[in-house]
Amino acid sequence: LRKIHHVGIVVRNLEEAYGFYRDTLGLPLNKIATIEDQGVKAALLPVGESEIELLEPITSDSGVAKFLERKGGGLHHICFETDNIETELQGAKDKQIRLIDQTPRNGLAGSIAFLHPQACCSVLVEYAQPIDESEHASLLSQGRSRGFTAKRLDHVVIAVNDLEAAVATYQNNFGLEREEPKDVPALGLRNTFMPIGDAKIEMVTPLGDKSPIGQFIEKKGEGMYLLSLDVDYLDGAIQAFAE
């Protein structure tokens, strides 16, 4: 697994979502397509070596539509890029990881396959083998005149009840290394980072019942909590959000 290819976010309306991700963050639109078999209209927006995928349901019975109805949208899945999806999928089968897709299929990111959330600490995980990166590379070189630039995906935060068990699961499933865990009392959490490509996965667990992480888990269960973008000028980003 080479890097985080993208983070999927479910939205009610792509055009409205563009107002933030494209117009405020200044991310270029790489690709947009309707994927009938998944019941979605999707768009990919590059940020550094990774991308953000926006997903709008177009049918009421799709998994994305049910996610939107149940959770009101938000972080939906994380996708790891591989240069050999067949090998990675077979490796998952050999480890007896529960799968959604037994064989790869075509998707917006290329050849894709999903692992079951129950195998990944309630996180839907996708593998993707891109078909052609030339278009993506050209988009990364495009610049905009603005107060700040979102340079890359810095990390994705996953909230869990048992930090060590979750770390062990991701080490087993994906072969990721981990950094030393530490307590962050000011945020009411204990965390550890697991690097992949130029980004990281941050595992967090609450230190107490009043921790925001603890309240999130109590309300929504374990899973993806937030994503962090690296920007070149934080004050400029804050000003853009305020405006």
Side-chain angles (χ1 to χ4, degrees):
L1 299 176
R2 299 171 54 189
K3 63 180 183 179
I4 296 176
H5 182 276
H6 68 263
V7 175
I9 301 174
V10 174
V11 300
R12 294 190 181 277
N13 183 283
L14 275 182
E15 293 299 327
E16 293 178 1
Y18 288 156
F20 179 73
Y21 292 98
R22 183 191 63 190
D23 301 335
T24 301
L25 288 181
L27 304 182
L29 181 61
N30 181 0
K31 190 185 302 182
I32 182 171
T34 297
I35 308 172
E36 298 289 349
D37 66 337
Q38 296 182 31
V40 298
K41 183 165 63 173
L44 286 172
L45 298 95
V47 53
E49 292 185 359
S50 303
E51 300 188 4
I52 290 175
E53 182 181 43
L54 303 178
L55 301 161
E56 175 192 338
I58 56 174
T59 62
S60 60
D61 60 347
S62 68
V64 169
K66 293 174 182 176
F67 179 92
L68 181 63
E69 181 180 356
R70 186 173 70 254
K71 296 192 174 183
L75 293 168
H76 181 256
H77 69 270
I78 183 170
C79 176
F80 296 126
E81 180 177 320
T82 173
D83 55 9
N84 193 323
I85 193 169
E86 296 278 2
T87 298
E88 291 297 340
L89 206 53
Q90 185 59 51
K93 292 177 183 178
D94 293 343
K95 293 177 181 178
Q96 297 184 329
I97 297 173
R98 187 175 176 184
L99 307 177
I100 292 177
D101 294 306
Q102 297 297 318
T103 58
R105 54 192 167 97
N106 292 328
L108 191 60
S111 182
I112 67 167
F114 283 94
L115 312 186
H116 199 283
Q118 290 183 3
C120 307
C121 307
S122 299
V123 175
L124 180 62
V125 172
E126 178 184 10
Y127 288 155
Q129 182 177 347
I131 297 172
D132 183 4
E133 295 187 345
S134 59
E135 183 180 8
H136 176 265
S138 68
L139 283 167
L140 295 182
S141 66
Q142 294 178 9
R144 282 193 175 199
S145 176
R146 55 191 306 105
F148 76 101
T149 299
K151 299 190 297 181
R152 64 184 180 91
L153 176 67
D154 189 84
H155 64 275
V156 177
V157 182
I158 298 175
V160 297
N161 283 311
D162 188 328
L163 186 68
E164 293 305 316
V167 167
T169 295
Y170 275 66
Q171 286 179 321
N172 175 71
N173 287 2
F174 311 116
L176 302 181
E177 300 296 327
R178 59 94 56 90
E179 298 177 359
E180 284 298 314
K182 62 180 180 180
D183 291 345
V184 188
L187 298 177
L189 60 84
R190 181 174 176 80
N191 72 350
T192 187
F193 289 91
M194 308 184 78
I196 178 168
D198 71 337
K200 296 181 180 182
I201 293 174
E202 180 186 7
M203 293 286 186
V204 299
T205 194
L207 286 178
D209 295 338
K210 295 183 179 180
S211 162
I213 297 295
Q215 294 173 9
F216 173 86
I217 293 176
E218 182 179 356
K219 183 178 180 181
K220 295 189 174 183
E222 294 182 304
M224 295 176 68
Y225 180 66
L226 63 82
L227 61 83
S228 172
L229 300 179
D230 178 13
V231 300
D232 60 355
Y233 183 47
L234 184 58
D235 287 345
I238 293 172
Q239 181 62 34
F241 298 161
E243 293 173 353

